Each structure stands twice: as structure tokens, then as C-alpha cells.
Amino acid sequence: ALARGAAAPYHLMKSMAIAPPERLRIAPPDIRTTDSTVADQIYAGYFTFQGKTAQAQGVSPFLLTPPSPGWRRSLTGFSWLRHLRAADNALAKANARALVADFLALPKLPPDDPAMAPAVVARRLLSFLSQSPTLLDGAEAEFYDAFMQALARGARRLWRALAGEGAFGADRAFCAIALAEFAVCADSGRKIAPHVTRALTAELDRQILSDGGHVSRNPQILIDLLLDLLPLRQVIAARGLQTPPSVLRAIDRMMPMLRMMQHGDGSLALFNGMGATAMDRLASALAYEDTRGAPPVNAPYAGYQRIEARDALVIVDAGPPPPPEFSQSAHAGCLSFEYSLGIERVVVNCGAPSAPHDDARELARSTAAHSTLVVADRSSARFAPIDAPRRRAGAVLSGPSETNVERLRHEDATTLFLSHDGYARDFGLLHQRELTLLDDGSMLLGVDRLAAAEGARKRVETHEFAVRFHIHPRVRVTRGAGAAVDLRLANGERVIFEAEGIEPEIEESIFFAAPGGARKCAQIALRGMATPGVEIAWSFRRLRAGEAVPPAEDV
């Protein structure tokens, strides 16, 4: 039944009488990794989410003043129940049931409580369904009935969010996935199954691009979607139902796209809201890939490019900002790139900060936080204020409207010719960039140009530009002989950075995407006056084994 239904556009009635299930036919798996030590912390009354810890001290955690909205969302999303299941003992099971009972006993929550956000309701519904064997095993009738009623309430709220304007952006896909799981698992879900299939199909077809990228251009959302779509696929197959083609199509497209965005150390490139890679979650998702060929090198719809040469790798943001609805985590990093050698990251973007550093979120979105050219220290895209109305808060208001990419194979190298017009309106300039990676991986060559935008008014004032290269914290940066910069990787390898006609400046930067939190790092900056026709050539050259290194000055 779940496979029926036409593709988008779809329409849902404003409300649907979704009855509480009498029983659950099946429980979906939760493929996220677990940590049984978290169960001990929770039993001791410590709840740590989003970098914040609160101690319950004998009080229900749901009655505590939350240290942050993100903490409240994580607490009431109940994804942490999987850790109590992993403890696999009677005490953990009883604790899990008691905590869920505490939540179910709360009076009706106000609509502005973070616990009532559609994405949180979806996460809670998915968590309750997947952990239902633990929660319902030996449960008393009163808890059983309250639990089933909570499932129905959650499903009805998600239905209303999809039928109206309660959910937007990527949240709509998560809401549709949660409703689809309810329709498969609950004996009362058959009535809504065809309608939910239409909604899920429409959202996946709208949000997952032909090359597997998400319309938001944020790699993190691909991981999150896969971790929910893969269990949905499994539970549909276990019920003997036909999996909607949109689900299979989305999974098949997203897997290669994730690998396209991977560096040699397994982490994902830091573009458009991507922060520190949760390696366990990424591995859990990729473990389900049926076929594994070479990663794609060209994602024209998602706006990314990849060049590989032996163990050298360059990943480039070559696309415009996403549509406003999906742009609240997007960055102004057009034409920025990341460069790695084997498992060592060399050139990076600063990445999205973790929850404890939310105050740096706007800084991390700026063009200056990316390895690309910046004019007058102004970003190539403008964002709405974070205190704007919810649907507009932080959304991209303007940015590059035209980006161009050309890929050229030489006899011994690959070159990308790239451009964007993000500085055309304010400065009458186009940014053009060439990136060439030699086939033996020994050198990355770059050229950045500023050209007059077509139809731009002649401007008298001039501004400074800066071409920035943010360097990974594991790399030691020193001043080399002459105008060179010496980069010493953690594995001992040396890379020399040079620029023609401009002396590189070495400055402080910050890397937000380190697993343990933000870390200081260095950046190389090339500066000059932003006039049409200016051209800056630069290179990263790997030193051969035994090649002498000029004396260097620590920075």
C-alpha cells in the first residue's frame, strides 16, 4: 500500500483522523551507533546534548530549564534511547520506560516549545517506533495505551505540518519519512499510507537532485536522510511491501555523492553548513551501499567538482546558493576549495561551528572563512538576520546568480575553469579561478582573476582583495626562503606554497570543524587592489623525498 500514489505536486487535507494503534506490526531498526556508557550517565541524572549538560537531581529532565533550545530539542527527540537499549539490562530498560512515561505525563506543551517543532516530533516518532520493543516489553497497560496515543498524536502533528506551513525546507522530508514509518509499523497506518507515499515521493524528488546532492548543498543532510531512509527501506521489505521507487532512487543517488565529498581521512568537505564529520554515522550510512565504484568527479546540479591525482585531492564549491527555503545553513563560499594529500588535510574551509560555538555561526558563513577570493572583506552572498521571522532567519537574500564550470583534461593534468558573479552588483567584478592538479599529484596550481562584469558601471573607488587559504590545524606553517611558505604535514611531508608577484601573509584563523571543538589554525593571504584585469598565480608544490628545505622561521 505504501508504494501507491503519484509524484508531486501533492495535497494533504488539513487534518486526518489517525487513530492510536492497537499494536505495532514491526519495529524499524536504528542503524546509528550506540554507546552503553551514556546509559550510565543518564541513570546518574546527567543529560548531555549539543555541548550542554544538565543534572536532573531527582527531577524529571523534561521539567528542567533547558540550557539551550538545542539541548531541549535533543532531549525531547529521544534519539538517546538507543544508548539505553545498548546497555541491555533490566535497569536501563526500566529507566528508559520511566523517562518516556515522564514525558508522556507532561501537560500539553505550547506550540513554541522546541519539543513541538516538526523536525523534533519526527525524530521522537522515529525513536519511539525503533525503541518500542524495549519500551513495551513487560509494560503495564496504562503505559502501553499512553505510548500508542503519543504515537498517534505525533503522526497527526506531522500530518498537519506537511499539509500546512508548519514544516519547511529539509524538515519536510524528515516529517514524511517519520509518517511513512508509522504507516508501515502501526496497524492504524494503512489509511494514510497512500497519501504519505505521495508526500514522501514529492519531497524526495524535490530535495534530492539528479546527481545525489541535497538541494540545500549541505553534505550533513545527506547523512541524516540516509540514516532514516535506510531503516525505512528495511522495514518496508520486512513487511513484504513494495518500496516506493523514490526511496530507492534517493538512496542510490546519495551514496556516491557522499563519497564524492570525502577526503582521504574519511571526513566530508566543509561546504554549506557541514561541520565536524561524525565518522560513526557516516560509516553506518555508507555500509549499506550496494555497489562501490570510483567517486563521481562532477556534480553539476549540487554544484561541486572533484579532482583526484594519486593521493592528491581537490574538492571545489562551484555552485550558486540554494533556494531560500533551503539556504539557512548555506555559506558564502562560492569557488572555495579544499585540498588534501592522502589522509592529511592541507587547505580547508573553516566549517560550521558546533553547538557550543553558535555565536560564531555567522562568521563561519562569511566568504572570509573560506579558501577563496574576497573583495573588500565582504561576502559574495548576503544573509537575512538570524532574528528574522522563522522561515527567513539566516536565509540567503542574494549571492552569485551565474556560476560557470569547465573541466579540461590535459596530457598530464586536469584543470577546472570556474567563475561567479557574486561581486558584480556591488563592485562590477567577476571572480574567475583556475585550478590545475598534475596527474602525479605533485603540484596544485591556481590562478585567480578579477574581470569587469558585463554592463557594470565604471567605478572610481577601488577596494582591496584577499585570496585566502585556510590551513588545517595539523599542518605547521612556517616562513620559507624568499616569498615561500613552508607547510609541514603531520606525517612529515613538506609542501611549499608560492605566489607570483605577491608576498604571502601568514595570519591566524580558526577551524570550527575539529571533532573536539574549535581550534586555532593559520591562513595564508594574498592581497592586492581589486581592479579589472588583476591576476594572481599561486601553487602548492610537494617536496620530493630528500629535497632540501630552506631554513624557515616559525609563525
Side-chain angles (χ1 to χ4, degrees):
L2 194 64
R4 299 196 198 107
Y10 67 97
H11 172 73
L12 296 178
M13 294 179 291
K14 290 293 183 182
S15 62
M16 170 68 74
I18 302 175
E22 292 187 7
R23 66 186 181 94
L24 298 177
R25 301 179 185 277
I26 193 171
D30 188 337
I31 64 174
R32 291 168 173 81
T33 56
T34 58
D35 182 355
S36 59
T37 64
V38 175
D40 298 331
Q41 296 171 10
I42 290 176
Y43 183 73
Y46 292 92
F47 294 83
T48 301
F49 309 115
Q50 300 290 314
K52 303 286 186 181
T53 299
Q55 187 176 9
Q57 295 179 328
V59 179
S60 169
F62 306 103
L63 299 177
L64 297 175
T65 300
S68 72
W71 185 93
R72 175 73 172 175
R73 286 191 291 268
S74 294
L75 174 71
T76 55
F78 283 90
S79 185
W80 45 269
L81 282 174
R82 71 186 192 277
H83 301 302
L84 277 67
R85 181 200 68 205
D88 197 25
N89 59 58
L91 184 62
K93 290 181 180 179
N95 195 23
R97 189 179 302 134
L99 287 167
V100 172
D102 279 351
F103 179 78
L104 299 183
L106 293 175
K108 185 177 181 180
L109 297 174
D112 60 348
D113 189 309
M116 300 306 291
V120 178
V121 176
R123 177 59 46 215
R124 185 162 61 245
L125 183 58
L126 290 169
S127 299
F128 281 179
L129 289 170
S130 63
Q131 305 308 323
S132 58
T134 297
L135 296 170
L136 298 178
D137 182 23
E140 296 180 355
E142 183 180 359
F143 177 85
Y144 189 96
D145 292 343
F147 184 79
M148 294 300 181
Q149 290 170 11
L151 294 180
R153 279 198 306 272
R156 288 194 291 269
R157 180 160 181 82
L158 295 182
W159 182 282
R160 291 192 298 270
L162 286 175
E165 297 185 352
F168 66 98
D171 288 353
R172 296 187 65 83
F174 293 106
C175 291
I177 292 170
L179 271 176
E181 269 201 10
F182 176 85
V184 173
C185 297
D187 61 2
S188 61
R190 178 178 298 180
K191 180 180 179 181
I192 67 171
H195 309 286
V196 172
T197 299
R198 284 195 293 273
L200 179 59
T201 294
E203 292 302 334
L204 292 179
D205 287 348
R206 181 168 77 114
Q207 296 189 32
I208 305 304
L209 305 173
S210 299
D211 52 24
H214 187 263
V215 66
S216 69
R217 308 190 65 229
N218 185 349
Q220 180 62 52
I221 293 181
L222 295 180
I223 301 176
D224 296 339
L225 281 172
L226 281 168
L227 290 175
D228 288 336
L229 282 173
L230 288 165
L232 175 62
R233 183 180 69 175
Q234 287 181 259
V235 78
I236 291 173
R239 285 284 321 276
L241 304 174
Q242 182 182 354
T243 306
S246 61
V247 172
L248 301 176
R249 187 165 56 242
I251 291 172
D252 288 345
R253 288 174 177 174
M254 285 191 286
M255 291 286 194
M257 184 66 197
L258 271 182
R259 290 191 295 108
M260 178 182 177
M261 303 302 290
Q262 269 190 302
H263 284 284
D265 66 351
S267 59
L268 298 183
L270 301 172
F271 298 112
N272 290 300
M274 185 68 207
T277 302
M279 300 300 289
D280 58 335
R281 295 190 174 195
L282 178 59
S284 295
L286 290 178
Y288 288 83
E289 187 174 16
D290 296 327
T291 59
R292 182 180 288 267
V297 297
N298 178 18
Y301 300 101
Y304 292 110
Q305 295 288 322
R306 177 184 176 103
I307 315 176
E308 281 186 274
R310 297 190 180 179
D311 67 339
L313 171 64
V314 177
I315 305 176
V316 187
D317 178 349
E325 181 185 357
F326 296 93
S327 68
Q328 290 181 317
S329 66
H331 288 195
C334 193
L335 302 198
S336 64
F337 75 98
E338 296 200 330
Y339 172 48
S340 57
L341 300 172
I343 64 171
E344 299 296 339
R345 306 275 292 277
V346 183
V347 178
V348 294
N349 295 315
C350 294
S354 57
H357 300 282
D358 258 352
D359 56 342
R361 181 169 174 261
E362 296 309 300
L363 173 64
R365 299 179 76 189
S366 68
T367 302
H370 297 76
S371 293
T372 188
L373 181 144
V374 187
V375 177
D377 205 25
R378 195 176 302 179
S379 290
S380 59
R382 292 192 307 117
F383 307 106
I386 57 174
D387 57 356
R390 179 170 169 259
R391 294 179 68 92
R392 293 183 67 247
V396 174
L397 299 177
S398 65
S401 60
E402 184 175 344
T403 58
N404 294 293
V405 180
E406 182 182 352
R407 193 180 188 100
L408 182 64
R409 270 294 302 159
H410 307 284
E411 183 178 344
D412 59 351
T414 299
T415 298
L416 291 175
F417 298 92
L418 312 142
S419 68
H420 80 77
D421 64 351
Y423 290 117
R425 187 186 68 175
D426 291 339
F427 304 106
L429 296 170
L430 301 178
H431 176 203
Q432 300 171 340
R433 167 166 269 185
E434 291 180 25
L435 297 172
T436 299
L437 185 62
L438 301 190
D439 286 349
D440 62 3
S442 63
M443 187 175 291
L444 171 64
L445 301 137
V447 178
D448 285 288
R449 299 186 186 89
L450 290 172
E454 184 176 351
R457 292 176 299 170
K458 186 174 181 180
R459 296 175 181 269
V460 176
E461 72 275 19
T462 57
H463 301 272
E464 187 180 67
F465 72 81
V467 183
R468 300 182 183 276
F469 306 88
H470 297 272
I471 307 300
H472 193 274
R474 281 170 54 91
V475 179
R476 181 184 172 200
V477 181
T478 59
R479 180 76 65 185
V485 177
D486 182 17
L487 309 177
R488 183 170 191 163
L489 311 190
N491 63 3
E493 184 173 2
R494 285 323 234 307
V495 177
I496 299 297
F497 174 86
E498 295 177 298
E500 293 182 12
I502 298 180
E503 181 157 348
E505 300 175 21
I506 301 175
E507 303 172 352
E508 288 187 355
S509 182
I510 187 167
F511 185 65
F512 292 114
R519 292 179 59 187
K520 289 183 179 180
C521 64
Q523 64 173 305
I524 301 170
L526 306 175
R527 287 189 167 82
M529 300 312 296
T531 56
V534 70
E535 180 174 295
I536 312 98
W538 48 265
S539 66
F540 289 90
R541 178 174 61 89
R542 303 169 75 172
L543 292 183
R544 298 184 299 273
E547 184 175 351
V549 180
E553 173 189 347
D554 285 351
V555 176

